[in-house]
Amino acid sequence: MDSNLDQVYMERALRLALRGQGLVEPNPMVGCVIIREDYDNTPGSDGDAQFSEEGGALVVGEGWHQRYGEAHAEINALKMAGELAKGATMYVTLEPCSHQGKTPPCVDAIIESGVKRVVVAMVDPFPEVNGAGIEKLKAAGIEVEVGVCGESARELNLPYLTRLEKKRPWIIGKWAMTLDGKIATRIGSSYWISSEEARLRVHEWRETVDAILIGSRTAMEDDPKLTVRLPEGREPKRIPTRIVVDSGGTLSVFSELALTARDVPLLLVFGPNTPKGKKEFWESKGAEVMVIDAPTHEQRLLLLLTQLAERGMTNVLVEGGGELLGHFFDLELMDEARVFVSPKVIGGSEAVVAVGGVGRELMRKAATLRNKKIEMIGPDVLISGRVNY
C-alpha cells in the first residue's frame, strides 16, 4: 500500500488511542484500525453503516484500549471486523502483546483472524513484549511493517515510556501565576489567581493522572482538598492519590486533606526525622504513610518517584508550591509544564515566586518549552509544553 495511505490509517488509529487517556493507565494508550483494499468485493460493504471508506480502502474494524484490565485495541477492532478481518491490513499504534497479562496475547487473536498485514507504529519496550509480538506475527507468515508515525506514537505514550525507561512517572508541573510571576502574596494569599474556567480545566487534568503532589507548605497555607470536582452529572475517570511531601510531619489533623483521608486516597511522605508516633497516628486516620530515610529533600524526592513507578503510577501532577516545583526543575525531572498566567499584578519583593529552588545561573541554560501550546481559558492565558533542559 502507498506509504501516504499507511500514514492516513495510522493517524486514525492514534486518534482512537487518545480516547483511553485517564482510563487505561498503567497500560499504554493504543488504537487499532483494520482496512480492506478489495472493498468492491467485500460482502455488506454497499451502504452498511458500520463500515467507512477512507483513503481508497474500506475501514471494516476499529477500536482502542478503553479501560485497564479490559480488552486491548486489537481485540476490539477484530470483534468489529469479524470475518472481514481475513486478508485485511491492521494498523496498530503499539506492538501487539505476546504474553498473558490481564488479557490473553493479542498476537494469537491476530494470527487466528487471518489478517495478512500488520503495520505497527512502534515496538513496545515492555520487557515481556519488546519485539516478541512482531517476531511471532512474522513467524506466522504475516507481513509486518514497523515505524509508520513512530514519533507520534512515542509522543502519545511518553508517560508510559518514561515509567519503563526512566523508572519514574511522567511529571507534569502546574501552576497559576500573575503577570509578575507570583503564585501568592507576601502573606500567602492565593485565592484566586486564576479564573473559574481555569480551575475547571485543572479538575479535568486531575481525573487523567495517577497522583497529585504538593509540598507541606502548600498543604498548610492553601488547605486544599486536591479532589476531582466536575460539573454535575460528570463522573471522574478515576480518583488520583493525593500526595504530600511532609518531611517533618506537620500536616494539620484539621486540614481538608486529613478530614477526607478515609474517603480519598492520601499518601504522606515523611523524612527520617519525623517525630515518633506520627506514622501510626496518621495511619489510624486513614492515610498511608511512606517514610523515606534519605538526608536531603532531593534524595527523598528521587526515591519517592522510584517507589511510585514501582506501584504502577504513570503520571503525576505537581501542583506546588514554588519550592517543590523548584526542586523538580533543579533535578531536571519536570517533563511537562502547564501554566496559567492571570492578568493581575501583585507586586512585592516578598511575594511567593512560581518556581523556587536553586535555579540557573546563566540565561542560556534556562529550561525552555517545546511543542508549545498557547490558548485563552476565560481571562487567563494557558501556556503548556514539554520541558527541554
Side-chain angles (χ1 to χ4, degrees), residues 132-176:
I134 291 170
E135 290 307 312
K136 192 169 184 179
L137 292 173
K138 289 180 177 179
I142 296 174
E143 179 187 349
V144 180
E145 183 171 347
V146 181
V148 175
C149 297
E151 188 56 40
S152 296
R154 183 173 179 83
E155 283 284 326
L156 175 73
N157 276 310
L158 276 174
Y160 168 75
L161 297 171
T162 297
R163 183 172 60 82
L164 290 181
E165 296 169 358
K166 298 184 179 180
K167 311 302 180 186
R168 64 168 178 83
W170 178 261
I171 303 300
I172 305 164
K174 165 264 163 184
W175 64 92

Side-chain angles (χ1 to χ4, degrees), residues 283-298:
E283 288 174 340
S284 73
K285 296 296 182 182
E288 180 186 359
V289 177
M290 180 187 297
V291 180
I292 299 183
D293 190 6
T296 69
H297 289 295
E298 291 79 6

Side-chain angles (χ1 to χ4, degrees), residues 214-222 244-251 297 320-321 324:
I214 63 171
S216 57
R217 181 175 175 180
T218 297
M220 177 178 63
E221 295 184 350
D222 292 354
V244 182
V245 179
D246 188 14
S247 298
T250 59
L251 183 66
H297 289 295
L324 184 62

Side-chain angles (χ1 to χ4, degrees), residues 1 13 23 29-30 51 71 84 98 108 114 122 124 134 163 178 195 207 223 229 237 239 253 260 312 334 360 376:
M1 179 175 286
L23 297 168
M29 293 177 281
V30 182
F51 304 123
L84 296 179
S98 55
D108 293 348
M122 65 172 290
D124 185 351
I134 291 170
R163 183 172 60 82
T178 58
S195 62
E207 70 168 343
D223 193 23
R229 300 184 295 280
K237 294 179 180 179
I239 305 299
V253 70
T260 55
M334 190 72 71
R360 304 301 175 98
M376 293 299 302

Side-chain angles (χ1 to χ4, degrees), residues 187-207:
I187 63 170
S189 173
S190 61
Y191 290 142
W192 292 101
I193 288 177
S194 59
S195 62
E196 185 176 346
E197 296 92 333
R199 297 195 297 275
L200 174 58
R201 179 65 66 90
V202 173
H203 286 285
E204 292 172 340
W205 291 339
R206 286 178 178 178
E207 70 168 343

